[in-house]
């Protein structure tokens, strides 16, 4: 692959690694917070099983994929086999159950793209969104969590990238920028493609975890304890990786031709997916393949205005990491 612009790292790039690690550590939730989340799920499970003995709650999203910062809302999925009721009716009934169980601000959003019930637990102070039978999200949560256990640099990189994206307001899907989920996938892809590689491609290995969800076969190697030394031959520091991540997205990624795919562990062509032109509202201006729903481009929300904003932010970040005397401060300055 031709690299369109190759700049040398600044000479002192590794000097910034301890500062970035300190930022990462300040973002990681404390153990008490994780305990509170478990407590809330247990009490919700008790409440719901009285009405629906076979239903179960699963945590998904950042509270369960190990990429969650402290004080984020928790994402919960109710898995329920209920033939009589439609999704909207299940949600309304769920809202009644929660209200009767003294949860506060209970709201059923039955018309949202992903219909949910929102609520707040006065005992723990946690807010949570509950969706119905979104089991693919539960499986992709496990995939991300398993990747995180292979090399600590993935969590460090993804927390810092998410923190940057939130500070710069490019983590707002309803405004045409990317989801946290998309940023984590971009980080995994990036680490799969370092040389030597820092992460393997779990979906290309012998499958030890196999489930079929919504007619999609999800299969990957999940015995990640065996992979804890996988990235050891690569000694790059977190600051060097962050520099290279932003340089890649600012100056090297081929936006006209390539799709990021952690399913295959490489770049694949837009052509092979027929993602070369706009179809409906899917513009495919930055292409990030969902690891299981492979027809789903996580970059579909990006339009011709927001692609410019995103690319300018990637360039700003790359240039700060290259030249700024105080990059670990300037990078996160609010937009
Ligand atoms: P945050 O800390 O910002 O809340 P998050 O990890 O919870 O981060 P979200 O983008 O809120 O990220 O997504 C929550 C979960 O929903 C993801 O972990 C993923 O399982 C699922 N998800 C989100 N967006 C998509 C999508 N476009 N396609 C498939 N699954 C998605
Ligand atoms: Mg979330």
């Amino acid at each position: 692959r031709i690299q369109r612009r190759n700049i040398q790292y600044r000479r002192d790039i590794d000097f910034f690694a301890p500062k970035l690690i300190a930022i990462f550590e300040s973002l990681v939730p404390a153990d008490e917070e994780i305990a509170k989340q478990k407590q809330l799920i247990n009490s919700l499970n008790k409440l719901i099983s009285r009405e629906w003995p076979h239903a179960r709650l699963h945590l998904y999203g950042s509270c369960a994929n190990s990429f969650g910062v402290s004080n984020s809302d928790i994402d919960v999925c109710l898995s329920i086999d209920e033939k009589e009721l439609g999704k909207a009716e299940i949600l309304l009934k769920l809202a009644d159950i929660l209200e009767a169980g003294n949860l506060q601000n209970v709201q059923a959003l039955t018309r949202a793209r992903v219909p949910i019930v929102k609520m707040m637990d006065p005992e723990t102070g946690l807010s949570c969104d509950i969706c119905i039978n979104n089991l693919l999200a539960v499986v992709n949560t496990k995939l991300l969590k398993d990747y995180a256990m292979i090399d600590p640099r993935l969590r460090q990189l993804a927390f810092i990238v998410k923190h940057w994206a939130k500070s710069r307001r490019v983590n707002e899907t309803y405004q045409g920028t990317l989801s946290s989920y998309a940023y984590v996938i971009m980080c995994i892809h990036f680490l799969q493609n370092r040389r030597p590689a820092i992460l393997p491609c779990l979906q290309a290995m012998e499958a030890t975890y196999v489930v079929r969800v919504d007619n999609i076969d999800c299969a990957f190697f999940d015995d990640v304890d065996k992979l804890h030394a996988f990235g050891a031959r690569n000694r790059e520091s977190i600051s060097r990786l962050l520099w290279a991540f932003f340089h890649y997205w600012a100056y090297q990624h081929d936006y006209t031709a390539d799709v990021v795919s952690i399913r295959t562990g490489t770049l694949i062509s837009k052509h092979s997916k027929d993602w070369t032109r706009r179809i409906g509202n899917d513009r495919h201006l930055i292409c990030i393949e969902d690891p299981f729903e492979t027809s789903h481009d996580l970059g579909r929300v990006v339009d011709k205005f927001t692609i410019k904003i995103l690319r300018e932010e990637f360039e700003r970040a790359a240039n700060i990491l290259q030249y700024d005397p105080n990059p670990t401060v300037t990078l996160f300055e609010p937009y």
Side-chain angles (χ1 to χ4, degrees), residues 60-62 65 75 137 140-141 162 166 179-181 290 296 298:
Y60 75 99
S62 61
N65 65 17
D75 299 306
N140 68 39
T141 294
K162 274 176 66 171
K166 284 182 207 286
S179 67
S180 297
Y181 178 60
D290 185 88
H296 188 152
L298 303 176

Side-chain angles (χ1 to χ4, degrees), residues 278-334:
R278 174 174 174 174
I279 299 173
N281 265 336
D282 289 10
R283 296 175 181 83
H284 305 303
L285 299 174
I286 173 172
C287 294
I288 303 154
E289 181 193 59
D290 185 88
F292 301 115
E293 280 184 282
T294 56
S295 63
H296 188 152
D297 178 4
L298 303 176
R300 72 210 276 180
V301 288
V302 175
D303 63 34
K304 64 179 175 187
F305 300 108
T306 54
I307 188 70
K308 273 190 69 188
I309 293 173
L310 262 177
R311 293 184 66 170
E312 280 166 17
E313 286 296 333
F314 289 140
E315 285 172 31
R316 172 186 178 273
N319 294 338
I320 286 170
L321 287 163
Q322 182 74 2
Y323 302 112
D324 195 278
N326 223 341
T328 57
V329 176
T330 316
L331 191 61
F332 307 106
E333 271 168 8

